[in-house]
Amino acid sequence: MAIEREDIVIGESLPYLRPFICKGNWKQAKVMLTGINPATPIFPAEISYEDYRKLLEDYDSFLVFYQKKRKQTGKTALSRTRQGIGALVEFIWKETESSVIETDVCTYPTASVKELERVDGKLKQKGRELFWKVLEESRVELVICYGKQAFEDFFLLLEEQGVSACWKSREPSAELLKRDCAALEKMSPVGYLEWKGRRIVFFVVRHLMYYGKSGTSYEEVKQKIIDYGNRHFRG
């Protein structure tokens, strides 16, 4: 993927943008798991750009670095969200045989969503542009947004880019966005996009901080993901 230094380094005192990490080979990934923004900032003072790029390309090494960084700040090795992400990614990897890209609509990392709200608009825009570049250059056919805000942000980014999607409910955008996350999960796939010679289908699931180790309460949407993957990814 043609991601350059200037796409990731936005200032020596600012965190690196995080375009994505991938379970498996990103070139073969059919699934993209998408959140709001990364929650663990990594700074140039902590690791060189060259070593940071190597981390992004090595899923397991990145997670080791992530866990070590959290422990150094007195936190548990895994946040509830990271535990849920890991469990769902492993499930998709095993059941659909697809590599899975993990990314965020805004690739600018902050310790909290409230902190992201205080970030300069130009920096957030740069973070969204990098996400869009990842989406464009990947071969993803299924985007899973976890959490209502991630879906709203993704929805708005499509509009910013002038890309028109087809929504399952056939209702106006404002009405679709009024639905809560549980309702969006139940009706998933919520829509699709014919773009760049491929069809990208959209799923929405509740925030993965509620997923736990097994995702028992997510069984219905997990089955839909398996069914879609078995129909479209294999063979």
Side-chain angles (χ1 to χ4, degrees):
M1 192 173 294
I3 293 175
E4 308 296 339
R5 182 188 183 98
E6 56 266 26
D7 293 319
I8 292 175
V9 181
I10 52 177
E12 289 303 312
S13 62
L14 296 172
Y16 291 119
L17 298 187
R18 189 194 305 172
F20 69 93
I21 57 175
C22 185
K23 174 77 172 178
N25 185 341
W26 71 265
K27 294 179 181 178
Q28 298 172 356
K30 300 294 186 182
V31 182
M32 176 180 282
L33 188 60
T34 306
I36 301 166
N37 78 306
T40 303
I42 298 173
F43 292 85
E46 298 176 82
I47 183 172
S48 70
Y49 167 75
E50 290 75 17
D51 287 341
Y52 180 67
R53 284 300 299 262
K54 290 177 184 176
L55 272 187
L56 295 178
E57 294 166 6
D58 186 329
Y59 189 78
D60 291 334
S61 294
F62 181 89
L63 293 181
V64 169
F65 183 93
Y66 160 86
Q67 291 179 48
K68 182 178 179 181
K69 180 176 171 66
R70 281 184 58 87
K71 287 179 179 178
Q72 288 173 343
T73 58
K75 298 177 180 178
T76 58
L78 295 175
S79 67
R80 288 172 61 196
T81 300
R82 169 48 58 185
Q83 182 183 65
I85 290 171
L88 181 56
V89 166
E90 193 66 30
F91 171 82
I92 295 170
W93 165 268
K94 178 182 176 182
E95 297 294 335
T96 71
E97 299 181 1
S98 172
S99 299
V100 183
I101 290 174
E102 297 177 26
T103 186
D104 298 275
V105 179
C106 180
T107 59
Y108 187 101
T110 57
S112 68
V113 174
K114 286 187 177 180
E115 188 177 323
L116 179 64
E117 293 171 358
R118 298 193 293 270
V119 172
D120 181 86
K122 291 181 180 179
L123 295 176
K124 288 190 283 190
Q125 182 60 29
K126 190 169 179 64
R128 289 193 293 271
E129 289 170 357
L130 182 53
F131 166 79
W132 193 254
K133 188 172 188 177
V134 172
L135 184 63
E136 277 191 309
E137 298 193 15
S138 72
R139 298 179 182 177
V140 162
E141 297 176 13
L142 172 59
V143 172
I144 304 170
C145 294
Y146 61 92
K148 178 70 179 295
Q149 185 174 336
F151 176 60
E152 289 177 350
D153 291 350
F154 181 67
F155 190 104
L156 293 173
L157 184 58
L158 291 177
E159 291 192 339
E160 280 181 23
Q161 294 292 332
V163 176
S164 299
C166 298
W167 303 105
K168 184 176 180 180
S169 64
R170 299 181 183 277
E171 60 193 355
S173 302
E175 293 303 313
L176 180 65
L177 293 178
K178 286 179 182 178
R179 292 176 180 263
D180 64 27
C181 204
L184 291 168
E185 178 177 298
K186 194 169 185 63
M187 67 183 284
S188 284
V190 297
Y192 66 91
L193 173 67
E194 298 286 356
W195 185 61
K196 304 280 184 181
R198 58 187 157 135
R199 171 176 285 204
I200 304 176
V201 172
F202 310 130
F203 276 66
V204 180
V205 301
R206 285 161 289 146
H207 199 285
L208 294 175
M209 69 182 297
Y210 307 114
Y211 191 92
K213 293 181 179 180
S214 61
T216 302
S217 68
Y218 292 69
E219 287 300 328
E220 183 178 344
V221 72
K222 285 164 61 180
Q223 188 59 52
K224 289 181 181 180
I225 292 169
I226 294 173
D227 291 345
Y228 188 86
N230 287 339
R231 288 197 308 271
H232 298 277
F233 301 162
R234 297 178 187 267

